[in-house]
Amino acid sequence: MHLSHYLKIFPTKNSPDHFLLFSTLRLSAVVLSRAALEHARNGTLPETERDKLAQLGMLVPDPEGELEQMRGMLERVNAKSRRFTAMVVLNLDCNLNCGYCYEAEFRGGQYMSDATADLLVDYLLRERITRGFDVELSFYGGEPLMSPDLIRRISIPLKEEAERHGVDYRFNLVTNGTLLNRPRAEELVALGLKGAKFTLDGPRHIHNIERPYASGSGSFDAIVDNIAAIWDLVPIQLGGNFRRENYLHFPRLLDQLIERGITGDKIRMVFFTPVTPKAGCSERTSGCANSSAPWLVDAQLYLREETIKRGFSTSKPKVAACIVELQNNIVVNCEGEFYKCPALMGWDGFSVGNLTAGITDYRESHAVGNWRAASCLACAYLPLCFGGCRFLNLLQDKPVGELECRRDYLDAALQRIVEQDLAYASVARTAKARAPRGIPSPAPSGAPASAAC
């Protein structure tokens, strides 16, 4: 047995004779003594410990075979997938006036027509539902809830036909949160609504500057009111866009939610991200286009720690590839044009078909499989990266097919992320063990599987 290519080994802070191992492919963690690590390297571990590390994906029988398995991983994922996911842009209109709006240059009250919505329904019925695929849509904008009639027009026939064919239809909303009140949520749940992503850009005083209504008044209280009203009906993911000058204030947002009674058990996940430059915008210095910028690493680790500390779930390391690599994922704009990523809608030359003609071959134009380069296949971070983000390449005036390597960021951040998850999972387990019988304790934070040898 040999150590996996997709394994990171970190020194532990408090014990110089032990190491933290993390499998980037299996997302498992283990602490090994120095002696046990040497035995693992030399193939001389006792059978019990060897089998445990093999189960965690840290030991493999054939390193070259592991590389070949990885080379074909996404092809296998695509072949097995029976769920078709589409982000559907219903409009380019909004009741807010966010200063960094990614679609601001393209806005002008544009809405998907009824005819285009009908073409979308026909396409999904013909190409997916009648062929045995589940269909999951994410309605997007603009603000998708400014198009409730289109949501009904699309969802009612898809839900009916999905039930008739024994498959699943569901949808999510990417919404600013101002319009999703209890009555609207109840209506949409009946049509297939399974989740919503809201945005709060920091505590009240910051959010109301960043995301005011078009009239200029603040939107914070309306959004929080809606979260409080629907959390038990619609699973909510909460996002927020921070800047270098304001991220230290974002934990106060979580405190304000808790003060309102919106605790971690009422939010599926909280995930803060940096403001990025506008899609297709020539002024490319307005936000973060470098995922390994030192301030950004510090900001994300700080916000992650403060989020978990307050009892909210947040994103964890996961095996994930760009949507470009996943053949059963597409973006449909207001006019029925297809794209592989919502960020690419603002760039010339990245349409990959339309509702009438279908999807074209985009493998070359979108550099599908660029991560199969030898340098990537042998990189321990490949399962977390798969070549990076095409959009960030474009923002930095690089070819779309160039690898957007995440090594610098992951070198700086991954160990701390794993340590955060393990530490707070340990706290949750201790609390559960100490809780009196019959009194529920806080749920574990969902840290990677761990063991000790």
Side-chain angles (χ1 to χ4, degrees), residues 1 43-55 59:
M1 299 291 281
T44 55
L45 271 177
E47 183 177 357
T48 300
E49 286 84 355
R50 183 195 66 205
D51 290 347
K52 181 63 175 178
L53 292 183
Q55 291 172 9
L59 289 178

Side-chain angles (χ1 to χ4, degrees), residues 168-292:
D168 179 57
Y169 168 74
R170 62 179 58 198
F171 68 90
N172 304 296
L173 295 170
V174 181
T175 172
N176 61 40
T178 61
L179 301 175
L180 191 57
N181 54 30
R182 183 81 183 189
R184 177 58 54 81
E186 289 173 342
E187 176 198 4
L188 295 179
V189 166
L191 296 179
L193 175 62
K194 299 298 183 181
K197 180 183 177 183
F198 282 38
T199 301
L200 285 169
D201 281 356
R204 180 182 287 104
H205 72 284
I206 293 177
H207 173 93
N208 283 341
I209 292 172
E210 294 282 355
R211 298 179 71 83
Y213 282 108
S215 66
S217 60
S219 63
F220 183 90
D221 290 330
I223 297 169
V224 174
D225 286 347
N226 285 340
I227 294 174
I230 71 165
W231 68 265
D232 62 328
L233 189 62
V234 180
I236 295 172
Q237 178 180 329
L238 182 62
N241 303 294
F242 63 82
R243 301 179 188 271
R244 185 172 188 173
E245 60 270 21
N246 68 19
Y247 75 85
L248 291 172
H249 297 280
F250 270 57
R252 178 59 184 145
L253 160 63
L254 302 178
D255 295 336
Q256 290 175 346
L257 293 178
I258 292 170
E259 291 164 5
R260 180 64 190 274
I262 302 171
T263 47
D265 58 318
K266 296 177 174 65
I267 301 289
R268 174 178 284 179
M269 187 178 77
V270 174
F271 185 43
F272 298 123
T273 54
V275 173
T276 56
K278 298 175 183 178
C281 180
S282 59
E283 177 52 56
R284 299 183 185 176
T285 60
S286 59
C288 177
N290 183 356
S291 62
S292 61

Side-chain angles (χ1 to χ4, degrees), residues 129-413:
I129 287 177
T130 60
R131 298 185 180 187
F133 282 80
D134 296 328
V135 169
E136 181 171 345
L137 303 184
S138 291
F139 290 122
Y140 185 71
E143 170 48 51
L145 288 176
M146 295 183 74
S147 299
D149 290 344
L150 285 175
I151 295 176
R152 298 184 194 101
R153 191 179 188 99
I154 293 168
S155 294
I156 290 173
L158 289 181
K159 189 171 188 296
E160 290 176 352
E161 287 300 306
E163 291 173 354
R164 195 165 71 86
H165 285 84
V167 296
D168 179 57
Y169 168 74
R170 62 179 58 198
F171 68 90
N172 304 296
L173 295 170
V174 181
T175 172
N176 61 40
T178 61
L179 301 175
L180 191 57
N181 54 30
R182 183 81 183 189
R184 177 58 54 81
E186 289 173 342
E187 176 198 4
L188 295 179
V189 166
L191 296 179
L193 175 62
K194 299 298 183 181
K197 180 183 177 183
F198 282 38
T199 301
L200 285 169
D201 281 356
R204 180 182 287 104
H205 72 284
I206 293 177
H207 173 93
N208 283 341
I209 292 172
E210 294 282 355
R211 298 179 71 83
Y213 282 108
S215 66
S217 60
S219 63
F220 183 90
D221 290 330
I223 297 169
V224 174
D225 286 347
N226 285 340
I227 294 174
I230 71 165
W231 68 265
D232 62 328
L233 189 62
V234 180
I236 295 172
Q237 178 180 329
L238 182 62
N241 303 294
F242 63 82
R243 301 179 188 271
R244 185 172 188 173
E245 60 270 21
N246 68 19
Y247 75 85
L248 291 172
H249 297 280
F250 270 57
R252 178 59 184 145
L253 160 63
L254 302 178
D255 295 336
Q256 290 175 346
L257 293 178
I258 292 170
E259 291 164 5
R260 180 64 190 274
I262 302 171
T263 47
D265 58 318
K266 296 177 174 65
I267 301 289
R268 174 178 284 179
M269 187 178 77
V270 174
F271 185 43
F272 298 123
T273 54
V275 173
T276 56
K278 298 175 183 178
C281 180
S282 59
E283 177 52 56
R284 299 183 185 176
T285 60
S286 59
C288 177
N290 183 356
S291 62
S292 61
W295 78 267
L296 179 56
V297 174
D298 291 343
Q300 291 184 322
L301 291 175
Y302 167 76
L303 291 173
R304 195 174 191 279
E305 178 98 16
E306 295 299 314
T307 298
I308 300 172
K309 185 188 298 183
R310 287 163 171 79
F312 292 88
S313 296
T314 191
S315 66
K316 303 182 184 303
K318 62 182 179 180
V319 177
C322 175
I323 189 175
V324 165
E325 300 282 346
L326 304 177
Q327 66 183 24
N328 285 325
N329 292 64
I330 203 72
V331 178
V332 186
N333 75 359
C334 293
E335 298 175 340
E337 290 287 318
F338 289 154
Y339 292 84
K340 282 300 294 179
C341 169
L344 297 179
M345 286 192 295
W347 298 79
D348 293 334
F350 286 99
S351 171
V352 296
N354 56 59
L355 289 168
T356 302
I359 300 173
T360 61
D361 187 343
Y362 55 85
R363 287 174 294 181
E364 182 175 349
S365 62
H366 287 64
V368 172
N370 62 346
W371 53 272
R372 291 192 177 94
S375 59
C376 278
L377 282 173
C379 176
Y381 294 133
L382 177 61
L384 309 180
C385 170
F386 281 102
C389 175
R390 275 82 172 163
F391 178 55
L392 288 184
N393 275 341
L394 293 176
L395 291 178
Q396 299 175 75
D397 295 316
K398 296 178 180 178
V400 69
E402 186 170 323
L403 295 169
E404 196 267 311
C405 183
R406 300 290 177 85
R407 181 184 294 275
D408 288 347
Y409 170 77
L410 291 167
D411 278 346

